[in-house]
Amino acid sequence: QKPKAPRGTENFHNKLRVLYSANRESRRVRRAARYISSHPERILDAPELLDDYYVNILDWSSENVLAVGLGPTVYLWNARTGEINQLMESDDEENLITSLRWVADGSHLAIGSGDKNVQIWNVGSQRLIRSMQGHDARIAALSWNNHVLSSGGRDSLVIHHDVRISQNVISSHNHHTQEVCGLTWSPDGTQLASGGNDNKCFIWELGRRNPRLEFTEHRAAVRALAWSPFQRNLLATGAGTADRCIRFFNTTTGSLIKSTETDSQVCSLQWSRSSRELVSAHGYSQNQISVWNYSNMSKIIDLKGHSSRVLHTSLSPDGTTLCSAGADETLRFWKIFNQKEKNKNAESDSSFKRGNWTRKIR
């Protein structure tokens, strides 16, 4: 009879069991590297899109409707149906659309233009609700905070409008010395960041006349502003051709956290909602869209396709798709981020119908 192999020690079996368990766990948590296509999912023609670094004429609503200002007209593109509608057109063709921003629930759109007024439109009924005054020059930036709409203009003013009352102007700030071209409220509604052509960024609190913080590190117009969705009081800022940097500030301490040279004019910034990453859109000289890992600011990918500077970006409501608007008069849609875990089973809001690869937005 063939002799049996000697029985291993208990310690020998335990080591194998531990090794097997460890490998099984590592396989379970290991994730495949995310693939980001270097080609857009869709391209829309956008004739008469203003080649102006200081305006803000693209915004994607929570109801999955993209608003874009083309010349004196605002168009709406429904990302679910592909339907395109004209919302409004200025009576004077020289009165160009210079800013727009959706209210949080996507029911109303605020529009600023060269005639110095802010209009509020009910999108469902396609009706003008009211027109608000206060500025002495065109309105380049808008941002909502519940019932308060903040506007920034070429007159260097930041004005807060309460849209519920007839005397809409409740306060204003005149600390910028040139055009206000960036404006965004923090997610919790406690802080407003404003950027201007005076190379400054201010942090405001509603009800306070003077800014709580002033950042002067940039050497060009501060237009790109984005609050972190994962870390309270973390603000990313980007500036023009003479600066070309993305800077990160702690708005609690007022300290500069870090700065990254991009080699191009910084036009727009967007944080990922599902990971610690962000996207920057650029102008001269490379006209690229860059995806960054925030922890070490290593570049994940450069997306190239626009033949002129990428002036505007906006994220889809599910946070997966970036729309970019370029001075080449095109809108391009890039699938960049994953959905948040809790939304994985939901149908992607940014999914597109196949076909009609290139269409005109108007």
Side-chain angles (χ1 to χ4, degrees), residues 218-219 237-248 258-266 280 282 284-286 288 290 292 296-299 302:
H218 284 292
R219 300 182 300 276
T237 64
T241 308
D243 185 84
R244 305 185 182 198
C245 287
I246 301 172
R247 290 181 170 86
F248 299 89
K258 55 186 169 183
S259 177
T260 298
E261 170 67 50
T262 69
D263 298 322
S264 294
Q265 176 187 53
V266 184
S280 56
H282 299 274
Y284 310 118
S285 58
Q286 299 181 41
Q288 84 278 20
S290 299
W292 305 84
N296 57 10
M297 285 308 288
S298 60
K299 191 178 291 185
D302 275 339

Side-chain angles (χ1 to χ4, degrees), residues 57 59 61 65-78 83-91 97 99-103 106-112 118-130 142 144 361-362:
I57 50 176
D59 200 23
S61 80
V65 177
L66 185 77
V68 59
L70 300 178
T73 310
V74 174
Y75 292 92
L76 306 178
W77 178 69
N78 189 312
E83 184 179 4
I84 297 170
N85 290 306
Q86 178 181 312
L87 176 65
M88 60 82 68
E89 184 175 14
S90 302
D91 294 332
I97 305 303
S99 56
L100 47 80
R101 186 66 71 94
W102 289 100
V103 74
S107 61
H108 292 77
L109 182 67
I111 301 171
V118 180
Q119 295 184 354
I120 309 295
W121 284 76
N122 182 312
V123 175
S125 62
Q126 293 197 320
R127 187 165 60 93
L128 175 63
I129 301 299
R130 70 178 302 182
L142 296 165
W144 287 93
I361 193 73
R362 57 180 298 173

Side-chain angles (χ1 to χ4, degrees), residues 156-213:
S156 75
L157 291 178
V158 175
I159 296 179
H160 303 296
H161 312 262
D162 188 330
V163 301
R164 305 170 301 176
I165 59 178
S166 58
Q167 300 298 318
N168 54 281
V169 177
I170 54 175
S171 62
S172 64
H173 310 292
N174 61 357
H175 289 67
H176 282 287
T177 57
Q178 295 190 45
E179 183 166 21
V180 178
C181 51
L183 205 60
T184 184
W185 279 98
S186 61
D188 61 6
T190 60
Q191 301 176 90
L192 175 71
S194 67
N197 195 30
D198 53 7
N199 307 347
K200 294 179 180 180
C201 175
F202 291 110
I203 305 299
W204 311 90
E205 292 178 350
L206 200 59
R208 292 183 57 169
R209 190 169 187 82
N210 294 317
R212 194 170 65 78
L213 292 170

Side-chain angles (χ1 to χ4, degrees), residues 14-65:
N14 285 343
K15 284 181 179 178
L16 285 180
R17 189 177 296 115
V18 169
L19 180 63
Y20 171 75
S21 299
N23 287 338
R24 183 174 58 181
E25 289 301 316
S26 65
R27 286 198 302 271
R28 183 179 300 161
V29 300
R30 188 181 296 130
R31 295 181 180 178
R34 185 171 93 252
Y35 171 73
I36 301 175
S37 173
S38 59
H39 301 286
E41 287 193 334
R42 179 181 286 264
I43 302 172
L44 295 176
D45 285 338
E48 294 187 60
L49 191 141
L50 197 59
D51 184 6
D52 189 328
Y53 180 74
Y54 303 99
V55 302
N56 294 272
I57 50 176
L58 183 78
D59 200 23
W60 205 331
S61 80
S62 59
E63 290 297 303
N64 212 8
V65 177

